[in-house]
Amino acid sequence: MIAEARPAASLILLRRGGKHAERGVQVLLVRRTHEARFMPGVWVFPGGRVDADDAGDEDTAHMACAVRELHEEAGIELPPDAELLPWSRWITPEPVPTRFDTRFYVALAPPHSPPRPDGRETTAAEWFSPVAALDRHAAGELDLVFPTIKHLESLLAYSSSSEVLEAARGREVEPVMPRVVGKGDDRRVVLPGEPGYVPPEL
């Protein structure tokens, strides 16, 4: 039996350039507690399930969820007029027992907003350049999962937060469901356009 994909939202929070414009794109990642039942100890973008308190239509509820989770997991509160822009929509592959239909948004962090993990859901929070996060993962220093890796890779082409936001304004978001192909040691995850990918019936 295929588990239902529950609605969720995640926020790719971008750091402002300010006096450090030369630092390029930096994003916030939080480390989930090692006691978590789902993805323990993994570094992720702040996010979680849409719940009943996330009022509004479908888009508004997802954005409210992303803002709420950012505040809960990293102690950063976005202003009411903050611009959240859709970046992607990922649906967990069907064989996975815990599945989410997650909408990812990009937004700009308020000035002077150091992240503070809550100590319960998250035990650390840091700003990373996408390439530094990927390099530390490759070196075994940072535990990342497939969707986080792919989203970090999607930011490598941009040199500033403003470039990312501008790209998001003209971005077409289509649902992406990775597929698990092969058996045993040959099992791998593939994305649309890659060899072996068979489109699901969404």
Side-chain angles (χ1 to χ4, degrees), residues 180-190:
V180 179
V181 300
K183 296 182 179 180
D185 293 340
D186 292 328
R187 282 166 64 93
R188 67 189 191 281
V189 180
V190 295

Side-chain angles (χ1 to χ4, degrees), residues 54-96:
D54 300 319
D57 60 22
E58 191 173 29
D59 288 336
T60 303
H62 279 80
M63 287 189 284
C65 171
V67 171
R68 173 178 54 77
E69 291 286 347
L70 174 67
H71 185 241
E72 291 176 359
E73 296 182 351
I76 296 177
E77 189 166 359
L78 293 184
D81 61 348
E83 183 180 33
L84 273 68
L85 298 167
W87 187 255
S88 68
R89 179 182 173 188
W90 277 53
I91 303 172
T92 310
E94 291 175 349
V96 179

